[in-house]
Amino acid sequence: MAPQTEVPELTHFRDGLPRMVDVSGKVATAREATAEAWVRLPPEARAALEAGTNPKGDPLTVARLAGLAGCKRTADLITLCHPIPVSGADVRVTLEEAGVYVWARVRTTAPTGVEMEALTAVTVAALNVYDMLKAASKAIEVTGVRLLGKSGGKSGDYAASPSGGVVAPGTSSEG
């Protein structure tokens, strides 16, 4: 018979019901997170983007604004995420050989982290690229959404292992 292991207490469930974790006793500290996403473009979507013939306008500028707005609305979209004061955000959307690269850095001073805000920023930006270019092709793919790094908080710093992908100018995959 296998030894019984103790089941860890779930942080977002109590008595089988979902709950928002109480962070009121935690100290507000400086925190930062970076994330990335890719939008893979079929030839016809890339051609429309490069030629500037997209009927909806400039997808990259719209995506950047959408990512900034998305990071501020994270708590409205991620069910158990705390609303936090975003003190700074940078979203970059660039056309690269492999497709459209989306990168975001989000900062706060709060009792909980900004990983979800950074991930939401790149995801919303990538979805806006799709929306702006979908008339050219429905075969566009949003892929590679991941946390690149985070700093601050009880769990400490995190840096993703390099993926071998393109890194946005002026950034590093170490966050």
Side-chain angles (χ1 to χ4, degrees):
M1 181 185 223
Q4 280 193 315
T5 57
E6 189 173 316
V7 176
E9 182 178 331
L10 300 176
T11 60
H12 287 68
F13 278 80
R14 173 139 318 132
D15 300 323
L17 299 173
R19 71 182 183 104
M20 184 177 251
V21 174
D22 184 356
V23 296
S24 60
K26 293 175 72 178
V27 176
T29 60
R31 297 158 186 265
E32 177 179 299
T34 56
E36 72 178 355
W38 282 95
V39 183
R40 306 294 181 193
L41 302 174
E44 57 275 17
R46 186 177 189 94
L49 179 58
E50 288 177 334
T53 59
N54 187 48
K56 291 187 175 187
D58 178 12
L60 305 186
T61 299
V62 169
R64 186 174 188 166
L65 287 169
L68 290 168
C71 86
K72 297 187 303 181
R73 301 293 304 267
T74 300
D76 294 333
L77 302 168
I78 308 300
T79 306
L80 299 176
C81 192
H82 292 85
I84 60 169
V86 172
S87 57
D90 184 15
V91 176
R92 300 177 189 182
V93 184
T94 58
L95 181 60
E96 306 291 341
E97 187 176 324
V100 175
Y101 181 72
V102 184
W103 175 91
R105 175 186 294 132
V106 182
R107 292 183 173 135
T108 190
T109 299
T112 190
V114 289
E115 297 92 351
M116 294 311 301
E117 285 73 10
L119 288 163
T120 300
V122 298
T123 303
V124 168
L127 289 172
N128 273 265
V129 171
Y130 183 98
D131 181 54
M132 294 288 290
L133 288 171
K134 69 185 177 190
S137 176
K138 304 290 190 272
I140 297 165
E141 294 181 18
V142 174
T143 186
V145 175
R146 71 180 188 137
L147 182 69
L148 292 174
K150 69 142 253 33
S151 63
K154 185 174 90 174
S155 66
D157 295 351
Y158 165 80
S161 60
S163 67
V166 175
V167 175
T171 66
S172 73
S173 63
E174 280 72 49

